[in-house]
Amino acid sequence: MCPLLLAAAAVAAPRTPLRLVGRGLVAAMSTAKPLKSVDYEVFGRVQGVCFRMYTEGEARKIGVVGWVKNTSKGTVTGQVQGPEEKVNSM
């Protein structure tokens, strides 16, 4: 299996959420702490190994929200939002 490389990048084009993770942005915003949003793309063998389901489960455990989808390039891209320390741990 190839090592995974996670790259965070700003995305110019708006994205349509395909699948929400977590309990919604309202739950994340209920804290008084600063919020953070990160766009990411994961490279390596990430399609066909339940990576999206794993990501959703981890997001629920940590308490962040966002979306995740497969791309035609064989990568997985998404966005994660929530309190800064939780997003950093994701």
Side-chain angles (χ1 to χ4, degrees):
M1 181 146 105
C2 298
L4 300 180
L5 173 63
L6 180 61
V11 177
R15 304 251 181 187
T16 304
L18 296 181
R19 180 179 220 178
L20 290 176
V21 291
R23 294 181 182 256
L25 191 53
V26 174
M29 292 177 64
S30 66
T31 66
K33 299 177 183 178
L35 297 178
K36 184 175 186 177
S37 179
V38 175
D39 294 316
Y40 63 89
E41 186 168 10
V42 183
F43 299 82
R45 185 165 182 241
V46 294
Q47 290 189 9
V49 294
C50 299
F51 184 83
R52 288 178 299 134
M53 288 187 303
Y54 171 78
T55 303
E56 182 177 0
E58 289 300 303
R60 287 181 194 270
K61 284 185 221 174
I62 292 171
V64 294
V65 298
W67 55 268
V68 59
K69 71 174 187 173
N70 289 335
T71 70
S72 60
K73 300 183 299 182
T75 64
V76 172
T77 187
Q79 185 178 74
V80 61
Q81 301 172 343
E84 186 172 12
E85 70 280 352
K86 290 184 179 186
V87 170
N88 291 343
S89 73
M90 183 70 183

